[in-house]
Amino acid sequence: MPPILVIINPSARGDRARALCRKIEALSARAYVRITNGPGEARALAEQAAAEGCERIVAAGGDGTINEVVNGLAGSKTALGLLPLGTMNVFATELGLPIGNLRKCWEVVEHGLIKPVDLLRANDRHFVQLAGIGFDAQIVAATSVDFKKTLGPLSYILSATHIASNKPPNLTVRGGGATRQGSFVLIGNGRFYGGPFVLFKEARVDDGMLDVLIFKNLGYLDIVRYLQAIVLGNHTALSDVEYFQTAQARVTSTGPVPVEVDGDVIGTLPVTFKVIPRSLRVLVPRANSSRSP
């Protein structure tokens, strides 16, 4: 059987990285582990391996690691496997992987089914799960790696509290046959955001559509109201929230507004978002193969 390249999260270092490497190699004789040394290396490794005909490549880390590997695999026939080891693991949750059970996740890598899913693009950067414009991206930019390691999801909440005191940007979203205004925007491929929360109710990872949420206001009370509605599952019924689907959207602003995809800030507006339908092959549990995650 051919070896399976496993690319480990660049945030893993020293003894922790070596221990993780041994743990993954113990799962299967087919596992060939590479530990990256910094940003961009995971993409380069994946791109090279795909060009050499590697059938399966595994991203071992969080959503940011997955994003790097995906950008290396874009346009290839190589299948993506996941070992979810990050803070949120949103895409792995979307695909129904057994989060927290490394051995069962590896069974999916070796014995799961290959499912074609949509690949999304923000200008020239591909992503698989989520893009945030404005508030969301500011939180990502303000939350350091060390802060996330120490506090986990709480780190994002603390960053959000600080950012909410700033004046929100004025964003213009063109898509779905209309032009809309808002204070911050989220664009999704799947249903989930931040782990277990279903943000995009109509989303499917293989429907060829962007799911767009526009939040009109951004004061402290507005944020609390939005969060409460998301937890209750009725946020799309709010009068100052718009939700629609489209194959393409362009987001602009009058000033520099940050944009993040899959948890990494990639630059500032303007950005055009597009879908490349069912162009990424991912390994999913057999129980999930009959439905669109």
Side-chain angles (χ1 to χ4, degrees), residues 28-193:
S28 171
R30 297 180 65 188
Y32 169 55
V33 180
R34 292 290 301 272
I35 303 172
T36 61
N37 294 312
E41 188 176 353
R43 175 176 179 168
L45 285 171
E47 188 172 6
Q48 179 181 351
E52 293 173 352
C54 186
E55 295 179 0
R56 301 183 183 204
I57 294 178
V58 176
D63 295 308
T65 303
I66 294 170
N67 182 270
E68 273 208 47
V69 172
V70 162
N71 275 273
L73 296 183
S76 76
K77 297 298 184 182
T78 301
L80 172 69
L82 305 179
L83 292 180
L85 302 171
T87 305
M88 297 296 186
N89 303 307
V90 182
F91 190 52
T93 300
E94 192 75 48
L95 298 178
L97 291 176
I99 308 293
N101 192 320
L102 204 60
R103 181 165 294 280
K104 286 189 176 181
C105 286
W106 185 263
E107 289 176 4
V108 175
V109 169
E110 287 212 56
H111 307 296
L113 295 182
I114 295 176
K115 177 182 180 65
V117 303
D118 297 338
L119 190 56
L120 276 56
R121 192 168 68 193
N123 288 346
D124 59 353
R125 177 72 174 262
H126 296 92
F127 65 103
V128 292
Q129 186 66 26
L130 180 86
I133 303 101
F135 181 63
D136 177 80
Q138 289 174 300
I139 294 172
V140 172
T143 308
S144 69
V145 173
D146 289 338
F147 204 27
K148 286 192 288 185
K149 285 182 180 178
T150 303
L151 297 176
L154 179 61
S155 61
Y156 294 103
I157 297 173
L158 296 177
S159 296
T161 301
H162 173 71
I163 293 167
S165 63
N166 300 329
K167 181 180 178 181
N170 182 21
L171 307 179
T172 300
V173 183
R174 294 177 175 87
T179 298
R180 302 169 173 88
Q181 305 292 324
S183 292
F184 79 101
V185 176
L186 296 172
I187 295 178
N189 187 26
R191 297 166 296 165
F192 293 111
Y193 174 80

Side-chain angles (χ1 to χ4, degrees), residues 118 173-178 180 186-191 199-214 236 242-249 273 275 293:
D118 297 338
V173 183
R174 294 177 175 87
R180 302 169 173 88
L186 296 172
I187 295 178
N189 187 26
R191 297 166 296 165
L199 203 65
F200 306 98
K201 294 184 177 182
E202 304 300 322
R204 295 292 181 269
V205 294
D206 59 356
D207 62 1
M209 302 295 284
L210 301 168
D211 284 69
V212 183
L213 272 169
I214 303 174
T236 56
E242 288 194 65
Y243 175 39
F244 66 97
Q245 293 181 306
T246 181
Q248 180 173 320
F273 295 91
V275 182

Side-chain angles (χ1 to χ4, degrees), residues 198-255:
V198 176
L199 203 65
F200 306 98
K201 294 184 177 182
E202 304 300 322
R204 295 292 181 269
V205 294
D206 59 356
D207 62 1
M209 302 295 284
L210 301 168
D211 284 69
V212 183
L213 272 169
I214 303 174
F215 297 85
K216 305 288 187 177
N217 300 299
L218 202 57
Y220 282 114
L221 294 180
D222 297 311
I223 293 171
V224 171
R225 183 167 50 85
Y226 292 151
L227 290 174
Q228 182 182 44
I230 288 169
V231 171
L232 294 175
N234 61 4
H235 54 286
T236 56
L238 297 176
S239 61
D240 57 349
V241 174
E242 288 194 65
Y243 175 39
F244 66 97
Q245 293 181 306
T246 181
Q248 180 173 320
R250 181 167 175 81
V251 186
T252 59
S253 67
T254 55

Side-chain angles (χ1 to χ4, degrees), residues 67 122-125 127 258-261 264-268 271 273:
N67 182 270
N123 288 346
D124 59 353
R125 177 72 174 262
F127 65 103
V259 179
E260 65 90 4
V261 298
D264 286 335
V265 177
I266 62 167
T268 58
V271 174
F273 295 91

